[in-house]
Amino acid sequence: MDSLGRFGGPGYTLTSTERKPIMSRASQFALDSEVGGGQVVALAGIGAQSILRDAHANRLLRLPDASVDDNITYTLPPAEATGDVYTFVLTKARTTTGLIFTVNAKPASTVMIGAVKSFDTAAVATDTAIWFSTNATTVTMNSTTQGGLGGDMLTFTDIGLGVWLLDGQTNCSGDKVTPLS
């Protein structure tokens, strides 16, 4: 609060009774995207990829729906209790197998805790499974029984030294198998 009783902050003009954004969130997103600071990052679809804190944290990470490689491995940065969030989204069915998400082995005891909900493409209410883990180090989507058919989303939150909180949903076909290992 300044000496006149006004509140302020980035992107806002505030008085003690009202809050007015200088521009809409959609306009701000468009501006961010134009100047290279957008919130959606299209990830590379070849080989092993390192997810970097500066380039990928707190952004929507769009996974490739096709690739020349059968297996693409994305390695998360070290979990250091930063609170950073990494949200991966697959918008279309994969035409090849293998999206693999793994923890950085620093520290060596790094784990994922949380759950992945798996839905069958048949869209029948009974075709749902929930997979829980307190010690996973890898999430695999194989384009069939472990997800990867489009509409998949995995969110990893850095909640502690060596601890990732995992929340996800996958779109599967056939007899679902846990994507956690």
Side-chain angles (χ1 to χ4, degrees), residues 149-170:
L149 296 178
D152 305 74
M153 182 173 67
L154 297 172
T155 301
F156 300 90
T157 305
D158 181 358
I159 63 167
L161 184 60
V163 182
W164 287 99
L165 176 63
L166 168 64
D167 181 32
Q169 64 185 37
T170 61

Side-chain angles (χ1 to χ4, degrees), residues 14 23 28 47 62 70 84 93 107 110 116 126-127 135 153 162 177 179:
L14 302 175
M23 66 176 66
Q28 183 65 48
R62 186 170 183 262
D70 281 343
D84 288 340
T110 300
V116 174
T126 57
D127 288 343
N135 61 358
M153 182 173 67
V177 178

Side-chain angles (χ1 to χ4, degrees), residues 10-11 22-35 37-39:
I22 292 172
M23 66 176 66
S24 72
R25 294 205 32 87
S27 298
Q28 183 65 48
F29 179 77
L31 178 63
D32 286 347
S33 296
E34 288 174 17
V35 298
Q39 299 301 308

Side-chain angles (χ1 to χ4, degrees), residues 28-107:
Q28 183 65 48
F29 179 77
L31 178 63
D32 286 347
S33 296
E34 288 174 17
V35 298
Q39 299 301 308
V40 177
V41 177
L43 295 176
I46 298 174
Q49 302 291 321
S50 292
I51 300 302
L52 306 173
R53 186 165 279 118
D54 291 341
H56 302 114
N58 305 309
R59 290 180 172 83
L60 189 61
L61 306 173
R62 186 170 183 262
L63 295 163
D65 46 84
S67 172
V68 295
D69 279 357
D70 281 343
N71 293 306
I72 306 168
T73 300
Y74 296 99
T75 302
L76 298 168
E80 299 174 336
T82 63
D84 288 340
V85 177
Y86 300 81
T87 302
F88 296 85
V89 176
L90 181 63
T91 59
K92 296 180 182 176
R94 296 262 308 152
T95 56
T96 59
T97 62
L99 288 175
I100 301 165
F101 303 86
T102 187
V103 299
N104 188 305
K106 296 178 186 174

Side-chain angles (χ1 to χ4, degrees), residues 1-2 5-24 28:
M1 182 181 315
D2 66 12
R6 296 176 295 193
F7 296 93
Y12 288 94
T13 302
L14 302 175
T15 66
S16 59
T17 59
E18 64 182 324
R19 179 176 169 148
K20 296 180 184 176
I22 292 172
M23 66 176 66
S24 72
Q28 183 65 48

